[in-house]
Amino acid sequence: RPGMVRDASSEASLELEVWSMPLANFGAFMVQIASPLCIGTVVLEDGSSVYGFLCESDPLKGAEEITAFNGWRNYLISKQP
């Protein structure tokens, strides 16, 4: 699974999907999110922000960097034969 971490020193951007969820369902959704994923603020291209999946930094040590693929879907496509 991908883990997104904000890096203020990078100008890279990623394609992502923005979904809507009723606030009443958020708590039940949160308890299903396993570490190292977490919820945090994601800044969009237009400067607005949404809550989205981020990753705790410690598990990223030694992880494959996939930012150059511009998103998780492109990374998965690159792995297809």
Side-chain angles (χ1 to χ4, degrees):
R1 299 226 182 255
M4 188 167 57
V5 175
R6 184 184 311 190
D7 180 355
S9 68
S10 173
E11 293 188 21
S13 63
L14 301 172
E15 291 181 11
L16 54 91
E17 298 174 0
V18 177
W19 292 50
S20 178
M21 175 184 295
L23 187 56
N25 298 354
F26 188 69
F29 177 72
M30 282 291 299
V31 298
Q32 298 177 55
I33 300 170
S35 179
L37 291 180
C38 56
I39 299 293
T41 303
V42 177
V43 179
L44 302 179
E45 189 173 45
D46 67 1
S48 65
S49 61
V50 296
Y51 292 113
F53 288 106
L54 300 180
C55 185
E56 298 166 352
S57 60
D58 202 48
L60 293 175
K61 294 175 183 169
E64 182 178 0
E65 171 62 65
I66 66 168
T67 302
F69 292 97
N70 195 35
W72 179 241
R73 291 184 189 271
N74 291 336
Y75 171 75
L76 293 177
I77 290 168
S78 77
K79 294 297 184 183
Q80 294 177 355

